[in-house]
């Protein structure tokens, strides 16, 4: 399981093991200020990042910043 | 900066031909007030009803509550930057209709309003059950965007409070409260700052500071009198229990208590407002900045009051941790979400530095409330407001709801006497 | 006229009931009239106000190996004596006995609505299992502490028997159950806050009104080796539901989660989906629900072969004032369903 969430400290506090930081609370996987195609690209990249996190073995709670 | 609040006690509210105050009764000209509401062409319909303490009345769904006031002397106008001209408030004389309020009612977004019971067991949870409410029921024109409806309601509520306040401009007050941060000669008294966090999470979760959307602020320092004189206005549609209405800001209980002990037990050095935003970057920046300001003004201790719950718990914890790391002692005021059975963890975030916490109650506690003879607004909305559920409206017309739904029940300015204890 | 005595049933294991040691640990539940073993000094301490009308006895091994049957028998036997209070132990450090005390108390309390109390040492493993549901009084770590334990237990039994209100754990001397209860107190939160700050600044003792909570950590799931052959599921606490919120998930304090089939859906559009979450500005999620539940991106990655398959069902709840206990319950139930469906990985999105 990977947790995609904006407020990483909460994710850490409640015990997620793989964390991917998201954009903002009301739109974790989007940014309404971007043109539509760029927003889709942003979302696709975040989801890819989440999938990469699923492929990494973790021992301790890990935030996937990059 | 010296602020005199001329307190005019209001013990009753009635409709009358003229909006005036006589013998502690506020008479309201309904036609004029409706006409004032209709000035905003985003509102299709407006009605005014009165609700007095002890009456079998339930007001639902309530958006904001505002205390009627008028500026008698001194700079600035009430609610500057919104319905008042821009100018620093907090000095001179402001007359206050104490015991009266304007309450705005309308279903903006569904989940995010609350209710007020004027009698019965629900009344003990809300400060607005103890005062005379002039209730504005405001309907939007067809197809109005919720944000525009929120703004129309917010501004109309403020205008109504100013309109009622004007009736007391020339009246001799029953009491005079004087607020002035006189210099403290005893240098051994601890320097204490008050950190007020303002919800600023989106167009329906916003707070206005001198007309500025709080999400655009960097934390800033101000005189407590400014808060007490209308610098902060609520634009919130969040859970009713722990949002700070405009009434709460005008009567901020932490400010009043720090004033009461200023020069005796402590040296009240000022108020810092900060925001509660939706990105981690913003949260880090604002909490860094607020903590740095507290350090810069040489405070020894800080009281940090949260608004809302959930992700703002993170801002609260960041502020606590960063200030404690600067050597500043902190006390936090928060409510709890411990579940309906009270058995869960109460906060979404925690840091070990948070060793001094005031709990203003578990918002998830369920209460059963009797039906009321008269409903102002729409009772059915109890099932969709935060803290309500399917079946919240009982067959008899009573309510079974979390106290989360009651206006101001767990106010994190420490306004009330509720707490939660561990059993 | 003498006041009616309150009735007490006492639970003991085979050893304290003086039936025998380990060799008798297999005896099934039985009930005896009157007080037995530690029940005798307990009865003395209760005096004339209360009476131990019966003693419930069970072998520790029998109980541990047949918990359901043992509990059922205890409840049935106890109910026949119509007690006002049920008391178990003290169990000291004995783990199996502690569990028998805790489980019996919990069941009697839940099924018969009778007030219950037990007693044990702070490191007894049963404490954490039952302290939320049952009053547990601290004792020493061995039977040598019996003399101190009896008056503490009898005082508590007396309060329960007379229907008196039970105060805070520190006042009454039971292990805190971690139950938060609302109370009105004499002073406002603001007054209490300033007082607490002054105490903290002066270095004087003060008591926080809410000690910081701790959260459970869970072991991490193993890494996925080859995404191309996996099924990935989407789960969200952000409240994305079909338009109209058909299962009426609450805007806050959710009591449920829901599942919706997305087979054949390539994009979440505002005419078919919305958010029902009451804790954030819904505008952006309602304009494009993919911003919270990234279905369009997952479909794209499914089509280009990055992942084997997007699971046909997504799960949703509202994480807004929803208790940790409910969240854990939903999480477990969703995980079981996903496992049963051979889903390999999950992306959980939160707002």
């Amino acid at each position: 399981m990977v947790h995609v969430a904006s407020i990483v400290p909460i994710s850490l506090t409640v015990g997620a093991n793989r964390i991917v930081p998201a954009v903002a609370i009301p739109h974790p996987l989007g940014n309404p200020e971007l043109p539509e195609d760029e927003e889709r690209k942003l979302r696709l990249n975040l989801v890819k990042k989440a999938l990469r996190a699923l492929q990494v073995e973790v021992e301790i709670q890990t935030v996937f910043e990059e | 900066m010296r602020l005199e609040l001329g307190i005019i006690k209001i013990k009753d509210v009635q409709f009358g031909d003229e909006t005036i105050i006589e013998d502690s009764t506020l008479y309201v000209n309904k036609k004029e007030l409706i006409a004032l509401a209709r000035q905003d062409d985003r509102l299709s319909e407006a009605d005014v009803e009165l609700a007095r303490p002890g009456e079998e009345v339930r007001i639902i769904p309530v958006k904001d509550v505002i205390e009627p006031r008028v500026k008698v002397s001194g700079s600035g106008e009430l609610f500057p930057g919104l319905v008042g001209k821009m100018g620093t408030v907090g000095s001179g004389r402001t007359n206050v209709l104490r015991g009266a309020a304007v309450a705005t009612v309308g279903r903006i977004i569904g989940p995010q309003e609350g209710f007020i019971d004027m009698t019965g067991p629900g009344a003990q949870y809300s400060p607005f059950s103890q005062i005379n409410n002039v209730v504005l029921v405001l309907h939007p024109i067809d197809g109005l965007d919720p944000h525009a409806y929120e703004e129309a309601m917010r501004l109309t509520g403020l205008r109504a409070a100013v309109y009622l306040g004007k009736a007391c401009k020339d009246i001799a007050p029953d009491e005079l409260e004087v607020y002035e941060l006189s210099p403290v000669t005893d240098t051994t008294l601890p320097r204490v700052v008050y950190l007020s966090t303002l919800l600023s999470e989106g167009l329906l979760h916003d707070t206005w500071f001198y007309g500025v959307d709080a999400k655009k602020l960097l934390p800033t320092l101000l005189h407590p009198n400014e808060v007490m004189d209308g610098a902060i206005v609520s634009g919130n549609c969040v859970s009713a229990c722990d949002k700070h209405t405009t009434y709460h800001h005008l009567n901020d209980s932490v400010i009043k208590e720090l004033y009461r002990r200023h020069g005796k037990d402590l040296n009240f050095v000022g108020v810092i407002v900060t925001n509660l935003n939706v990105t981690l970057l913003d949260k880090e920046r604002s909490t860094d900045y607020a903590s740095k300001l507290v350090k810069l003004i040489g405070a020894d201790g800080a009281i940090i009051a949260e608004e809302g719950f959930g992700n703002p718990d993170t801002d609260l914890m960041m502020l606590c941790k960063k200030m404690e790391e600067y050597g500043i002692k902190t006390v936090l005021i928060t409510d709890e979400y411990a579940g309906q059975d009270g058995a869960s963890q109460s906060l979404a975030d925690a840091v070990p530095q948070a060793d001094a916490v005031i709990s203003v109650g578990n918002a998830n506690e369920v209460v059963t409330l009797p039906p009321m003879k008269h409903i102002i607004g729409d009772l059915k909305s109890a099932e969709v407001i935060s803290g309500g559920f399917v079946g919240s409206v009982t067959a008899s017309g009573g309510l079974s709801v979390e106290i989360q739904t009651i206006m101001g029940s767990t106010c994190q300015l420490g306004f009330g006497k509720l707490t939660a204890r561990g059993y | 006229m003498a006041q009616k005595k309150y009735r007490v049933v006492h639970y003991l294991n085979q050893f304290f009931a003086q039936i025998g040691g380990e060799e008798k640990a297999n005896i099934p539940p039985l009930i005896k009239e009157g007080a037995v073993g530690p029940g005798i000094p307990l009865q003395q301490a209760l005096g004339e106000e209360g009476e131990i009308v019966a003693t419930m006895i069970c072998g520790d091994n029998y109980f541990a190996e047949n918990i359901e049957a043992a509990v059922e028998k205890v409840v049935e036997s106890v109910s026949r004596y119509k007690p006002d209070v049920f008391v178990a132990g003290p169990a000291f450090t004995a783990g199996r006995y502690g569990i028998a005390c805790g489980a019996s108390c919990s069941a009697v309390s839940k099924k018969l609505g009778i007030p219950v109390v037990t007693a044990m040492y702070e490191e007894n493993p049963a404490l954490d299992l039952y302290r939320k549901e049952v009053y547990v009084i601290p004792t020493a770590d061995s039977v040598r502490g019996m003399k101190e334990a009896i008056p503490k237990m009898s005082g508590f039994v007396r309060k329960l028997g007379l229907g008196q209100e039970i105060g805070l754990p520190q006042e009454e001397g039971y292990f805190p159950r971690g139950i938060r209860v609302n109370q009105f107190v004499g002073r406002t939160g603001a007054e209490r806050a300033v007082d607490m700050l002054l105490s903290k600044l002066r270095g004087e003792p003060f008591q926080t009104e809410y000690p910081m909570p701790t959260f459970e950590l869970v072991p991490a799931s193993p890494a996925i080796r080859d995404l191309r052959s996996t099924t990935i599921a989407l789960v969200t606490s952000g409240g994305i539901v079909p338009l109209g919120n058909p299962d009426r998930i609450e805007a806050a304090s959710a009591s449920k989660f829901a599942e919706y089939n997305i087979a054949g859906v390539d994009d979440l559009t505002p005419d078919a989906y919305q958010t029902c979450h009451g804790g954030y500005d819904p505008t952006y999620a309602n304009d494009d629900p993919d911003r919270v539940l990234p279905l369009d991106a997952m479909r794209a990655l499914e089509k280009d072969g990055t992942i084997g398959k997007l699971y046909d069902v997504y799960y949703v709840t509202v994480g807004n004032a929803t208790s940790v206990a409910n969240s854990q319950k939903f999480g477990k139930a969703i995980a079981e369903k996903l496992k049963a469906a051979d889903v390999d990985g999950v992306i959980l999105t939160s707002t």
Side-chain angles (χ1 to χ4, degrees):
Chain A
M1 204 272 300
V2 53
H3 192 203
V4 183
S6 309
I7 308 306
V8 174
I10 294 183
S11 192
L12 285 166
T13 300
V14 300
N17 288 313
R18 292 183 183 85
I19 301 165
V20 169
V23 180
I25 291 165
H27 44 81
L29 291 116
N31 184 349
E33 286 175 13
L34 295 177
E36 203 183 314
D37 56 334
E38 280 186 43
E39 193 186 5
R40 276 183 191 273
K41 210 182 283 170
L42 165 91
R43 179 153 56 246
L44 191 68
N45 285 335
L46 266 172
V47 170
K48 281 183 179 167
K49 198 166 160 185
L51 291 170
R52 279 201 300 276
L54 285 176
Q55 292 174 279
V56 178
E57 211 69 66
V58 297
E59 291 289 323
I60 54 164
Q61 289 184 290
T62 307
V63 181
F64 292 84
E65 300 275 5
E66 286 312 315
Chain B
M1 197 177 259
R2 176 188 164 95
L3 177 67
E4 294 177 3
L5 294 182
I7 307 296
I8 292 141
K9 291 184 179 163
I10 299 298
K11 292 172 182 156
D12 191 11
V13 58
Q14 299 283 346
F15 286 120
D17 297 334
E18 222 186 319
T19 298
I20 49 165
I21 293 135
E22 268 179 13
D23 297 334
S24 299
T25 297
L26 169 64
Y27 293 90
V28 179
N29 180 320
K30 188 172 174 174
K31 268 191 189 161
E32 275 185 21
L33 197 48
I34 288 176
L36 177 141
R38 293 300 306 277
Q39 281 173 17
D40 195 316
D41 58 15
R42 293 170 292 187
L43 301 173
S44 66
E45 240 183 284
D47 195 14
V48 181
E49 294 202 55
L50 305 176
R52 306 167 190 87
E55 291 181 336
E56 280 204 46
V57 175
R58 175 166 291 145
I59 316 169
I60 181 171
V62 180
K63 175 191 184 286
D64 196 14
V65 183
I66 310 122
E67 190 168 50
R69 292 179 170 209
V70 65
K71 205 93 193 104
V72 179
S73 67
S75 69
E77 291 185 4
L78 282 173
F79 313 121
L82 290 174
V83 299
K85 281 186 194 140
M86 185 50 67
T88 302
V89 288
S91 58
R93 160 79 77 82
T94 299
N95 277 359
V96 179
L97 293 184
R98 179 67 38 86
V102 169
T104 48
V105 168
R107 188 166 161 180
I108 295 175
I109 194 72
Q112 297 157 332
E113 287 92 20
F115 73 92
I116 302 166
D117 272 5
M118 298 309 294
T119 190
Q124 65 185 326
Y125 291 99
S126 180
F128 310 122
S129 304
Q130 333 306 329
I131 57 181
N132 296 285
N133 293 294
V134 177
V135 185
L136 297 180
V137 186
L138 304 171
H139 299 277
I141 54 169
D142 279 345
L144 186 67
D145 176 86
H147 304 133
Y149 183 25
E150 186 283 320
E151 187 183 61
M153 267 181 82
R154 169 162 40 90
L155 298 179
T156 301
L158 297 176
R159 285 190 197 108
V162 170
Y163 164 82
L164 295 176
K166 278 185 185 149
C168 72
K169 189 163 186 182
D170 301 318
I171 292 185
D174 299 303
E175 279 171 20
L176 205 60
E177 293 176 0
V178 179
Y179 295 99
E180 190 172 18
L181 278 185
S182 44
V184 171
T185 45
D186 182 351
T187 53
T188 64
L189 291 182
R191 294 168 61 82
V192 174
V193 67
Y194 167 40
L195 219 119
S196 171
T197 63
L198 309 177
L199 262 186
S200 52
E201 302 212 324
L203 290 167
L204 295 164
H205 291 55
D206 282 332
T207 306
W208 301 84
F209 176 68
Y210 278 106
V212 180
D213 180 347
K215 78 166 73 66
K216 297 174 185 158
L217 288 179
L218 273 180
T220 191
L221 176 68
L222 63 157
H223 194 287
N225 289 3
E226 296 175 78
V227 182
M228 302 176 85
D229 210 19
I232 304 176
V233 165
S234 168
N236 277 324
C237 306
V238 290
S239 288
C241 62
D242 56 11
K243 72 173 172 188
H244 301 148
T245 64
T246 303
Y247 185 100
H248 285 117
H249 288 299
L250 289 168
N251 291 285
D252 189 307
S253 32
V254 176
I255 290 179
K256 283 192 178 172
E257 184 61 13
L258 288 172
Y259 253 125
R260 198 173 68 80
R261 306 186 72 162
H262 176 68
K264 299 187 198 90
D265 303 313
L266 53 86
N267 183 357
F268 184 13
V269 292
V271 179
I272 289 167
V273 290
T274 184
N275 48 21
L276 301 165
N277 282 6
V278 291
T279 68
L280 190 57
L281 180 84
D282 283 332
K283 287 182 189 300
E284 291 285 9
R285 184 195 302 112
S286 290
T287 55
D288 275 353
Y289 211 97
S291 309
K292 180 190 67 186
L293 273 182
V294 172
K295 180 70 182 163
L296 269 174
I297 60 172
D300 302 305
I303 289 182
I304 311 171
E306 183 177 1
E307 182 169 16
F309 62 92
N311 78 75
D313 293 349
T314 289
D315 303 75
L316 186 73
M317 293 303 153
M318 284 181 176
L319 287 167
C320 169
K321 181 170 184 279
K322 290 174 184 180
M323 284 187 216
E324 292 277 348
E325 282 173 356
Y326 277 131
I328 296 150
K329 303 269 190 268
T330 60
V331 166
L332 316 180
I333 309 179
T334 181
D335 58 356
E336 303 187 33
Y337 285 79
Q340 296 186 348
D341 61 1
S344 281
Q345 292 91 331
S346 298
L347 297 174
D349 208 349
V351 293
Q353 289 88 345
D355 62 354
V357 177
I358 295 296
S359 164
V360 291
N362 175 19
N364 292 132
E365 184 188 61
V366 175
V367 287
T368 305
L369 305 172
M372 293 284 150
K373 278 187 187 144
H374 181 54
I375 305 292
I376 301 179
D378 168 28
L379 185 64
K380 262 296 180 192
S381 58
E383 298 203 340
V384 294
I385 60 182
S386 291
F389 34 85
V390 177
S392 269
V393 181
T394 62
S396 65
L399 290 179
S400 173
V401 285
E402 294 184 4
I403 63 167
Q404 191 184 163
T405 53
I406 303 176
M407 291 294 287
S409 62
T410 60
C411 174
Q412 297 168 112
L413 300 176
F415 207 84
K417 294 181 176 175
L418 192 67
T419 189
R421 285 180 164 164
Y423 278 79
Chain C
M1 202 176 84
Q3 195 130 32
K4 196 172 161 277
K5 288 185 181 182
Y6 58 81
R7 297 164 64 84
V8 181
V9 173
H10 190 193
Y11 179 93
L12 294 173
N13 69 358
Q14 82 286 350
F15 175 76
F16 284 100
Q18 295 158 0
I19 289 176
E22 279 300 311
E23 77 286 359
K24 294 284 186 189
N26 286 317
I27 61 159
L30 62 111
I31 195 157
K32 279 186 177 173
E33 302 264 329
V36 177
I40 291 166
L42 185 62
Q43 175 63 70
Q44 280 169 359
L46 294 174
E48 288 304 306
E49 287 177 321
E51 183 182 356
I52 298 177
V53 292
T55 304
M56 186 80 227
I57 301 156
C58 183
D60 282 337
N61 285 351
Y62 181 89
F63 203 106
E65 286 156 18
N66 308 277
I67 287 192
E68 271 178 42
V71 159
E72 200 177 312
K73 181 76 181 156
V74 167
V75 169
E76 185 266 320
S77 308
V78 169
S79 70
R80 280 188 280 121
Y81 284 85
K82 297 192 176 11
D84 301 298
V85 186
F86 181 72
V87 54
F92 305 108
T93 44
R96 286 166 305 163
Y97 187 23
I99 284 170
C101 288
S104 299
C105 283
S106 168
V108 166
S109 162
K110 277 187 199 145
K111 299 223 167 106
L112 304 178
I114 293 166
V116 296
V117 58
T118 183
M120 62 189 70
Y121 180 59
E122 63 186 10
E123 286 175 19
N124 192 309
L127 177 63
D128 281 341
L129 293 176
Y130 296 105
R131 65 192 293 173
K132 278 197 175 177
E133 311 156 44
V134 171
Y135 290 117
V136 183
I137 290 172
T139 68
D141 59 357
S142 79
V143 68
R144 284 190 301 276
M146 184 67 86
K147 220 174 139 186
E148 290 77 40
I150 292 295
K152 285 200 259 175
M153 289 173 76
S154 69
F156 210 90
V157 168
R158 180 176 181 273
K159 281 206 146 186
L160 293 177
L162 297 176
Q164 291 177 0
E165 201 172 305
I166 302 298
L168 292 167
Q170 57 268 35
E171 296 161 8
E172 304 280 359
Y174 60 88
F175 286 111
R177 294 175 301 167
I179 308 284
R180 306 294 293 172
V181 178
N182 281 345
Q183 281 181 356
F184 286 99
V185 291
R187 301 162 69 245
T188 67
E191 290 167 340
R192 304 193 315 266
V194 174
D195 268 356
M196 191 180 286
L197 182 61
L198 289 172
S199 296
K200 192 169 169 177
L201 284 163
R202 291 170 186 152
E204 292 166 4
F206 62 90
Q207 192 156 25
T208 183
E209 295 182 352
Y210 182 64
M212 283 297 102
T214 52
F215 293 83
E216 236 176 273
L217 290 179
V218 290
S221 53
I224 292 174
R225 285 176 193 281
D226 183 11
L227 275 176
R228 286 170 299 179
S229 59
T230 55
T231 301
I232 305 291
L234 286 177
V235 179
T236 186
S237 63
I240 301 298
V241 291
L243 205 60
N245 188 14
D247 290 288
R248 297 186 76 177
I249 301 177
E250 295 85 348
S253 305
S255 67
K256 57 191 149 197
F257 66 89
E259 54 180 274
Y260 299 107
N261 197 299
I262 40 169
V265 182
D266 288 340
D267 192 6
L268 299 178
T269 49
D271 58 345
Y273 292 88
Q274 64 164 104
T275 179
C276 65
H277 193 296
Y280 63 88
D281 187 332
T283 312
Y284 315 107
N286 285 342
D287 283 351
D288 184 357
D290 293 293
R291 287 171 175 154
V292 175
L293 190 80
L295 179 75
D296 58 351
M298 289 298 281
R299 280 284 180 241
L301 294 170
E302 184 186 43
K303 285 206 177 96
D304 76 11
T306 306
I307 60 167
K309 183 177 164 47
L310 171 63
Y311 185 49
D312 282 341
V313 170
Y314 80 91
Y315 293 87
V316 52
T317 187
V318 165
N320 178 30
T322 301
S323 69
V324 177
N326 273 0
S327 306
Q328 282 173 337
K329 200 171 74 187
F330 303 160
K332 274 185 189 141
I334 293 170
E336 275 163 25
K337 283 169 180 266
L338 291 172
K339 270 197 133 167
D342 288 327
V343 169
D344 303 287
V346 174
I347 295 178
L348 167 65
T349 66
S350 288
T351 46

